[in-house]
């Protein structure tokens, strides 16, 4: 959670001035918190009230802020001319070592240390260039997964909207399609998340830690290995989605049964 988003949620949790609730909910939404349940819990109100407050502030809950979009574009980085490529870095390493030895002809120990430092950079940059695009793809798939799960809730809430001018059957069809899309998005996320967990890197040498610190100091975003079990998370999300859908089918069947009885 970004600092702006965290601050917005803290302000929402602490709201007290009359008339400010809707404004604070809108601010949290614009800061990136588009989980309606989280907003409702923070403001101590119901989900329908969150929807009403958002609409009062000119926000369509069906559309998330564009700022939530995660880009998957990644340009491989380099550090001291090293890219982490097993083939491309060979000449750079040899030239750097030869140059260092020419400058320090009588210091073999320093030469060995320099070679270790350069190899650590080579290994760490290679790891960074491998894992970061996989993490970006996982983040983009996660954002889409969360968007579709959010839309399921939007479509379900719309079915109970007494001011809706659309037919119940059309609204229910939109909800069912949203459930279908959410299932597909969960599976798509899992397929992107698994590779992000399969890029091992042993931080067993201080040189690698130093090399990573150089990467971050150069302005490249820090990264953390994904340590979750994507298959287990996906299974839990699917189970939660399917359980809710099963309960809702019972509710819809009861509603339609009452409607049929009233028309007889």
């Amino acid at each position: 959670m970004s600092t702006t988003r965290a601050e917005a949620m803290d302000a929402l949790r602490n709201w007290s001035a009359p008339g400010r609730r809707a404004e604070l909910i809108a601010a949290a939404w614009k800061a990136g918190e588009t989980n309606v349940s989280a907003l409702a819990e923070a403001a101590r109100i119901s989900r329908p009230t969150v929807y009403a407050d958002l609409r009062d502030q000119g926000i369509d809950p069906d559309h998330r802020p564009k700022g939530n979009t995660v880009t998957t574009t990644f340009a491989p980085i380099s550090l001291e001319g090293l890219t982490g490529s097993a083939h491309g870095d060979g000449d750079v390493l040899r030239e750097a070592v030869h140059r260092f030895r020419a400058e320090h002809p009588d210091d073999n120990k320093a030469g060995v240390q320099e070679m270790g430092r350069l190899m650590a950079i080579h290994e760490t940059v290679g790891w960074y260039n491998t894992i970061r695009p996989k993490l970006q793809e996982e983040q983009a798939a996660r954002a889409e997964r969360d968007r579709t799960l959010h839309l399921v809730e939007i479509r379900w809430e719309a079915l109970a909207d007494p001011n809706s001018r659309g037919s119940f059957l059309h609204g229910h069809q939109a909800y069912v399609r949203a459930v279908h899309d959410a299932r597909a998005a969960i599976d798509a996320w899992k397929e992107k998340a698994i590779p992000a967990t399969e890029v091992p890197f042993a931080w067993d040498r201080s040189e690698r830690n130093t090399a990573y610190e150089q990467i971050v100091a150069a302005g490249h975003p820090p990264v953390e290995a994904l340590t979750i079990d994507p298959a287990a998370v996906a299974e839990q999300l699917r189970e939660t989605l399917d359980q809710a859908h099963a309960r809702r089918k019972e509710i819809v069947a009861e509603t339609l049964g009452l409607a049929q009885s009233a028309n007889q």
Side-chain angles (χ1 to χ4, degrees):
M1 180 181 288
S2 68
T3 301
T4 301
R5 183 174 168 187
E7 291 176 349
M9 288 298 284
D10 284 342
L12 179 57
R13 292 187 184 96
N14 297 323
W15 74 273
S16 59
R20 287 212 65 210
R21 186 193 65 218
E23 176 187 336
L24 292 170
I25 286 178
W29 178 277
K30 292 175 182 177
E33 182 51 79
T34 55
N35 184 307
V36 174
S37 295
L39 292 170
E41 180 180 358
R44 303 176 298 282
I45 57 177
S46 67
R47 288 166 52 86
T49 302
V50 172
Y51 291 119
D53 283 350
L54 288 171
R55 292 189 175 98
D56 285 345
Q57 293 294 308
I59 295 174
D60 183 353
D62 285 345
H63 299 287
R64 292 186 167 202
K66 293 182 178 179
N68 281 1
T69 302
V70 179
T71 178
T72 57
T73 302
F74 173 72
I77 70 166
S78 65
L79 193 63
E80 297 190 27
L82 299 169
T83 63
S85 168
H87 302 290
D89 282 355
D91 291 340
V92 177
L93 287 168
R94 282 190 291 272
E95 290 177 5
V97 171
H98 289 160
R99 184 170 57 253
F100 186 88
R101 286 177 175 171
E103 295 172 354
H104 307 82
D106 300 324
D107 196 342
N108 291 331
K109 182 179 179 180
V112 172
Q113 291 176 337
E114 177 65 4
M115 184 61 183
R117 186 185 75 84
L118 293 172
M119 282 301 299
I121 292 176
H122 161 76
E123 294 165 351
T124 308
V125 170
W127 169 80
Y128 187 93
N129 283 338
T130 301
I131 194 170
R132 189 171 169 221
K134 294 182 184 299
L135 290 173
Q136 285 186 313
E137 290 178 357
E138 184 274 334
Q139 290 169 3
R142 181 193 295 264
E144 178 61 13
R145 178 202 74 186
D146 292 347
R147 185 193 69 79
T148 58
L149 287 170
H150 174 74
L151 189 58
V152 169
E153 302 305 315
I154 292 287
R155 295 291 184 248
W156 176 251
E157 294 289 344
L159 285 176
D161 184 357
N163 298 316
S164 175
R165 297 182 180 181
S167 73
F168 182 86
L169 289 179
H170 280 94
H172 187 263
Q173 178 66 8
Y175 161 73
V176 170
R177 290 185 178 185
V179 171
H180 174 80
D181 291 344
R183 287 175 180 149
I186 290 171
D187 291 339
W189 167 78
K190 182 180 73 172
E191 293 304 311
K192 293 297 183 181
I194 289 175
T197 66
E198 297 176 340
V199 185
F201 190 77
W203 298 92
D204 56 357
R205 297 207 313 269
S206 61
E207 293 93 337
R208 286 177 174 172
N209 289 322
T210 301
Y212 177 71
E213 290 170 0
Q214 284 182 259
I215 290 173
V216 175
H220 303 295
V223 299
E224 293 183 7
L226 199 63
T227 58
I228 62 172
D229 182 346
V233 173
E235 182 179 359
Q236 181 60 52
L237 289 172
R238 283 288 297 266
E239 182 178 349
T240 300
L241 177 65
D242 290 345
Q243 286 178 350
H245 185 47
R247 291 195 301 271
R248 289 165 176 175
K249 283 197 292 186
E250 294 175 358
I251 294 172
V252 169
E254 182 176 351
T255 300
L256 293 177
L258 290 172
Q260 185 176 7
S261 299
N263 291 329
Q264 288 178 349

